[in-house]
Amino acid sequence: MADSVNHHGEERQVQKNYWMEHSKDLTVEAMMLDSNAADLDKEERPEVLSMLPPYEGKSVLELGAGIGRFTSELVKKAGHVLAIDFIESAIKKNEISNGHHKNVSFMCADVTSPNLKIPDESIDMIFSNWLLMYLSDQEVEDLAAKMVKWLKPGGYIFFRESCFHQSGDSKRKYNPTHYREPRFYTKICAPSSSMR
């Protein structure tokens, strides 16, 4: 168990260091790790949003909210959005950009932390975009189990990930991203998995 805890601590520190390095500018280019991010965002954000289940007037938990690329859209329809990110400067920028909305709150927290307390059956939709690939396999499994508990009956979990290979053209000294085949997520989300 101690080895597992130590590995978890190392994984979190590597990811924190990676995102501290790549979030100095707090731009969409930095967050997407791509010099063409503004153009890509114009295409992909509407596409991602079009895939969401109805969430008008509902409670939305946005995990890995970053600077608010999706927060700014989610608040337009949701009853309430709780935006969470583990990089303090990113969530503060999100709050500066979106805090004028009365239906949003912000939290600086690591989604893998046992100290993250979301009440059971309190959320209608959980949304994340490019978050799970920055978690270890075990962290993904543990988070999936927690997300199911947080959902209200009939609620939805929506996540989008890059699979197979690196995206973006930003130079990286190292890349701690976990590129997985889609079947990994299918297995985690299967009824026989931890997501019951």
Side-chain angles (χ1 to χ4, degrees), residues 12-183:
R12 299 309 335 125
Q13 193 57 53
V14 165
Q15 296 297 344
K16 184 109 178 182
N17 291 345
Y18 180 74
W19 280 107
M20 291 296 290
E21 178 182 339
H22 291 285
S23 62
K24 290 177 184 168
D25 293 335
L26 297 174
T27 62
V28 70
E29 289 78 15
M31 297 295 101
M32 292 179 72
L33 301 167
D34 196 297
S35 62
N36 297 310
D39 292 333
L40 292 170
D41 183 49
K42 286 177 190 170
E43 287 181 35
E44 67 125 32
R45 190 173 2 164
E47 180 182 354
V48 170
L49 292 167
S50 75
M51 295 180 211
L52 296 180
Y55 62 95
E56 289 78 3
K58 306 280 185 177
S59 58
V60 176
L61 174 60
E62 184 185 11
L63 302 176
I67 62 173
R69 200 161 67 94
F70 285 97
T71 310
S72 63
E73 299 293 335
L74 295 170
V75 297
K76 292 176 184 177
K77 294 181 181 178
H80 185 263
V81 175
L82 172 55
I84 297 177
D85 200 274
F86 79 142
I87 300 296
E88 187 174 7
S89 58
I91 201 69
K92 281 185 177 179
K93 180 168 183 181
N94 191 339
E95 187 170 8
I96 289 167
S97 300
N98 295 301
H100 63 282
H101 295 282
K102 295 186 184 329
N103 63 332
V104 63
S105 52
F106 304 88
M107 181 187 298
C108 183
D110 188 320
V111 299
T112 67
S113 172
N115 298 324
L116 177 60
K117 304 294 184 204
I118 306 292
D120 290 354
E121 298 187 2
S122 64
I123 304 295
D124 292 300
M125 183 178 79
I126 299 171
F127 174 89
S128 76
N129 183 67
W130 296 338
L131 167 70
L132 303 179
M133 62 192 191
Y134 300 109
L135 307 180
S136 71
D137 291 355
Q138 187 61 57
E139 289 169 336
V140 171
E141 290 182 33
D142 294 347
L143 179 60
K146 290 193 291 189
M147 288 192 296
V148 169
K149 291 178 183 176
W150 298 336
L151 278 181
K152 292 179 181 177
Y156 293 93
I157 297 172
F158 179 94
F159 63 92
R160 175 176 175 256
E161 297 300 314
S162 288
C163 296
F164 302 118
H165 58 82
Q166 176 177 307
S167 58
D169 62 3
S170 291
K171 299 279 187 242
R172 300 166 177 121
K173 294 177 196 169
Y174 62 99
N175 186 353
T177 308
H178 301 280
Y179 299 105
R180 301 177 175 100
E181 293 190 11
R183 67 178 167 222

Side-chain angles (χ1 to χ4, degrees), residues 177-194:
T177 308
H178 301 280
Y179 299 105
R180 301 177 175 100
E181 293 190 11
R183 67 178 167 222
F184 172 84
Y185 298 110
T186 301
K187 181 181 173 192
I188 295 240
C189 297
S192 63
S193 74
S194 61

